[in-house]
Amino acid sequence: MRTKHLLAGNWKMNLGPTQARAYARQLKESITPLSKTDVWVAPASISASAVAEELKGTSLQVGAQNVHWAESGAFTGETSPLFLKDLGATFTLTGHSERRQFFGETSEATAQRTQAALKAGLEVIVCIGETESERVSGKTERVLEEQLQPVLAGLTAETATKVILAYEPVWAIGTGKVASLKDIQETHQHIQKVWASHNLPGSAVILYGGSVNPTNFAEILALKEVHGALVGGASIKLDQWLELIKIAEATAV
Ligand code: 13P
């Protein structure tokens, strides 16, 4: 059971090691003590060490954007969960729509990656979301169920507490289009039902993602169905990221 908002930044393929280190340093120097918000950042894996070094000893957590299901071996270009642990990462994303869309990752592969990360002791933000045509044709709930099924089926009462779900409608990512508050509420409620149908304890922690910015964040976070946000573009602009943190701190948990 989380007692704070979770604000996670997905830097995607932005900020190489030098820039990422500089950004992390500025972030560390600008941030004030936080009582209501956990702030996590997911740099590109090649930048993660630099960011982890910079943020060591702070409350800010570093993670990865994806992880492989094996601990080591002949998997060119992939990242082992053990390597992430080694550099001080505490979490990873899995199943991001850009992985699904551009790299053909299936929900089964997302489940395998999630399992491996959990086994290594990482927390996991599992990303799900429908495309615009799926929403328009009324398939959103079914698509989310299919994406969740293999992931949730592999969880135990214990590992479930280390999993966070991020609802990111694909059509809202990087487009400036945000889901309506009603759609967010209804979709998060449906995700809770799917969670409960897998006999998992408690309720799911669900983040919203997709064009979150300082103008729209307060009303999204005020929804009781929303426990935080997964942010792309606005997480790599320091002024906007600090503003989002401020909003999370000012919003009742
Ligand atoms: P944007 O905030 O840039 O829309 O990206 C959302 C996202 O994909 C986070 O994982």
Side-chain angles (χ1 to χ4, degrees):
M1 177 70 187
R2 296 197 75 83
T3 53
K4 294 182 182 180
H5 300 301
L6 175 54
L7 193 53
N10 173 8
W11 296 0
K12 308 194 179 183
M13 201 173 71
N14 297 293
L15 308 181
T18 308
Q19 279 183 309
R21 183 187 291 280
Y23 182 91
R25 185 170 302 163
Q26 277 182 298
L27 176 60
K28 174 174 75 176
E29 285 164 2
S30 315
I31 216 154
T32 48
L34 304 172
S35 59
K36 290 190 192 158
T37 317
D38 289 325
V39 176
W40 294 5
V41 295
S45 60
I46 200 160
S47 304
S49 285
V51 174
E53 274 171 31
E54 238 6 273
L55 298 183
K56 202 168 179 183
T58 73
S59 65
L60 307 170
Q61 311 265 323
V62 181
Q65 298 171 12
N66 202 8
V67 68
H68 197 257
W69 52 78
E71 294 185 345
S72 65
F75 299 104
T76 302
E78 290 285 332
T79 306
S80 159
L82 299 186
F83 303 169
L84 295 175
K85 281 296 279 185
D86 185 27
L87 70 78
T90 58
F91 77 97
T92 185
L93 311 184
T94 59
H96 192 277
S97 69
E98 287 147 19
R99 299 299 317 172
R100 296 175 191 261
Q101 203 180 339
F102 303 126
F103 303 98
E105 283 188 21
T106 61
S107 299
E108 285 69 30
T110 296
Q112 281 183 296
R113 291 175 189 269
T114 302
Q115 279 301 328
L118 291 167
K119 185 167 170 236
L122 296 164
E123 292 193 76
V124 185
I125 301 178
V126 180
C127 307
I128 54 171
E130 80 287 359
T131 63
E132 185 150 40
S133 66
E134 286 163 346
R135 176 158 283 274
V136 171
S137 56
K139 294 192 190 130
T140 299
E141 294 192 348
R142 211 181 73 213
V143 167
L144 299 179
E145 285 160 22
E146 284 168 7
Q147 291 176 344
L148 286 168
Q149 157 60 31
V151 174
L152 299 187
L155 298 182
T156 62
E158 198 190 331
T159 55
T161 64
K162 305 291 180 197
V163 168
I164 293 132
L165 304 177
Y167 169 55
E168 300 201 298
V170 178
W171 48 272
I173 293 178
T175 57
K177 282 196 243 172
V178 189
S180 71
L181 296 178
K182 186 165 167 283
D183 283 346
I184 296 173
Q185 248 175 332
E186 287 176 359
T187 310
H188 282 214
Q189 284 165 5
H190 184 70
I191 294 168
Q192 287 295 359
K193 276 194 205 144
V194 181
W195 179 272
S197 74
H198 283 264
N199 296 321
L200 295 168
S203 51
V205 175
I206 313 177
L207 313 181
Y208 169 78
S211 295
V212 169
N213 64 38
T215 311
N216 58 34
F217 186 42
E219 59 180 12
I220 295 172
L221 191 61
L223 299 173
K224 68 175 187 326
E225 290 83 0
V226 175
H227 306 115
L230 179 57
V231 184
S235 73
I236 51 170
K237 298 185 189 93
L238 188 63
D239 54 338
Q240 294 197 19
W241 188 235
L242 292 172
E243 196 57 37
L244 293 176
I245 295 170
K246 211 154 105 189
I247 292 168
E249 281 293 283
T251 305
V253 182

